[in-house]
Every structure is written in C-alpha cells, then in structure tokens.
C-alpha cells in the first residue's frame, strides 16, 4: 500500500471532494492494488481543477476506482474505468450503483494495453495512468496511449510511478508538474 494516508480504515478509501465528498468506499485486498492516497489525490485534483469541469476522463488501471470516481465527484462529465481483474470490476460496478452514477461512469473489464489498441476509442481530456508498479508498464502504456488517437489536443495525462522510476514521456509531451511522496513519484503531462 502507498504511504500518505490513503484511507481511514482497512481497505477503505474516502472521496476527498465534490458531490460525493466524505463518502467511503471499500476496496479489495488484491496484489498490486494501491489506491492513490488522500494527500496525493488532493494535490492532483488541485492541479486538475481548472480543466476538470465537464471533462471526459479515462482511468486505465482503475483498481479501487479512486481516481476515476474522484474525477466525476469533482466535476468530470464522464469517466471510463478500465480494469482487467474481474473481482475489482465487480466492486467498481457496486460503487457505481451505490453512487447512482450509471450515466457518468463506464466500467470496462479489459487489459489497458489491449483496450488502447482497439479502434474507435472515445476522446479524452484527462487520462490517469497508475499501473501496478511491479509490472513495469509505464513507458509502454504511455507510448500506446500516445499512439491510440484517443487524446484530445492538449489532453492531460497523470502518471504515478515508483519514486526511482524515470518516466520516458512521448515526444512533444510537456511535464507540467512533478512531485514525490514517500516511495511514489507523480507527474502531470500535457500532450
């Protein structure tokens, strides 16, 4: 699990802002699942605030749903949550029902790289990339995301990685923000 106060109770995360502020959602105890901590999410959504209203968002490794659900809570029009683990997908669907968010949250059970390789993807303003650290997928996913054609001009891409990993962002992407918290490095890029 990440450091930085990610949840109040065991396997529980708290939505930090917006219409569902304070709501607590359970998440599964699954290998590689590390919901983004409260402090990091607070910083991230402060960065995103000017661009979040009515944005179309994708969370490529949704896991607990912390980033995609938070985005909708704080003003995004729509979030597509991509997750390959069936049990996590079932939990995400449960959260969507609990929050009465069928119109705003789409959940796809898929491998993120396979999903990015499909044709006719929706267009996104903001994409969250936070794969399991042990899988070492960051550079491959960013390259696939850049080639996918699903990014609107000037789209924002959030990347969370191990502190010692250097992100090789695609050519032309601008690093807008970069911070560290404990063992985690997180950055915001503009395409």
């Amino acid at each position: 699990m990440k450091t930085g106060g990610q949840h109040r109770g065991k396997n529980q995360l708290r939505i930090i802002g917006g219409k569902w502020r304070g709501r607590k959602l359970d998440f599964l105890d699954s290998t590689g699942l590390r919901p983004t901590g409260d402090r990091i999410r607070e910083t991230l959504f402060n960065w995103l605030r000017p661009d979040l209203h009515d944005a179309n968002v994708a969370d490529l490794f949704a896991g607990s749903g912390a980033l995609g659900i938070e985005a909708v809570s704080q003003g995004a029009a729509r979030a597509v949550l991509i997750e390959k683990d069936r049990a996590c997908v079932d939990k995400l669907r449960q959260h969507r029902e609990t929050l009465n968010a069928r119109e705003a949250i789409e959940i796809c059970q898929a491998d993120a790289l396979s999903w990015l390789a499909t044709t006719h993807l929706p267009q996104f303003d903001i994409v969250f990339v936070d794969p399991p650290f042990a899988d070492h997928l960051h550079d491959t996913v960013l390259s696939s995301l850049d080639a996918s054609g699903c990014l609107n001009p000037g789209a924002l891409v959030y990347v969370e990685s191990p502190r010692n990993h250097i992100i090789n962002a695609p050519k032309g992407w601008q690093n807008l923000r970069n911070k560290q918290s404990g063992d985690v490095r997180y950055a915001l890029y503009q395409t």
Side-chain angles (χ1 to χ4, degrees):
M1 297 311 268
K2 290 181 190 171
T3 59
Q6 69 268 19
H7 55 277
R8 299 272 182 236
K10 184 177 181 192
N11 292 347
Q12 194 173 68
L13 66 92
R14 179 179 59 86
I15 299 174
I16 59 168
K19 63 185 172 187
W20 299 318
R21 182 180 181 175
R23 293 289 299 264
K24 294 177 182 173
L25 302 173
D26 295 332
F27 61 89
L28 300 175
D29 188 12
S30 180
T31 303
L33 183 61
R34 327 158 270 94
T36 300
D38 287 2
R39 283 185 266 166
I40 293 174
R41 272 187 291 133
E42 185 174 355
T43 299
L44 168 61
F45 284 92
N46 283 337
W47 292 349
L48 294 176
R49 190 154 289 117
D51 301 290
L52 197 55
H53 183 69
D54 286 337
N56 287 316
V57 173
D59 188 349
L60 298 183
F61 298 86
S64 69
L67 296 175
I69 292 171
E70 187 75 50
V72 172
S73 181
Q74 294 203 34
R78 185 167 181 265
V80 177
L81 309 183
I82 309 302
E83 176 55 51
K84 71 178 182 178
D85 183 90
R86 179 67 187 179
C88 287
V89 166
D90 290 343
K91 184 58 93 169
L92 290 170
R93 288 182 176 140
Q94 187 179 65
H95 293 331
R96 180 176 63 185
E97 293 304 311
T98 298
L99 298 169
N100 193 23
R102 274 193 218 146
E103 298 295 317
I105 297 174
E106 179 183 342
I107 300 164
C108 297
Q109 183 178 359
D111 172 81
L113 288 170
S114 298
W115 185 81
L116 286 170
T118 61
T119 57
H120 307 296
L121 291 173
Q123 295 293 293
F124 297 103
D125 305 301
I126 300 170
V127 177
F128 301 111
V129 179
D130 181 14
F133 287 0
D135 291 353
H136 307 290
L137 292 172
H138 293 84
D139 296 340
T140 304
V141 171
L142 294 180
S143 178
S144 295
L145 177 60
D146 190 51
S148 72
C150 73
L151 297 171
N152 281 326
L156 298 172
V157 179
Y158 170 77
V159 182
E160 199 166 311
S161 65
R163 181 183 188 117
N164 60 353
H165 180 78
I166 304 301
I167 296 295
N168 294 308
K171 186 177 180 177
W173 287 25
Q174 180 184 3
N175 183 286
L176 301 178
R177 308 271 187 159
N178 196 340
K179 285 190 84 166
Q180 297 177 16
S181 177
D183 295 334
V184 176
R185 176 188 308 269
Y186 54 109
L188 187 65
Y189 295 88
Q190 186 164 38
T191 62

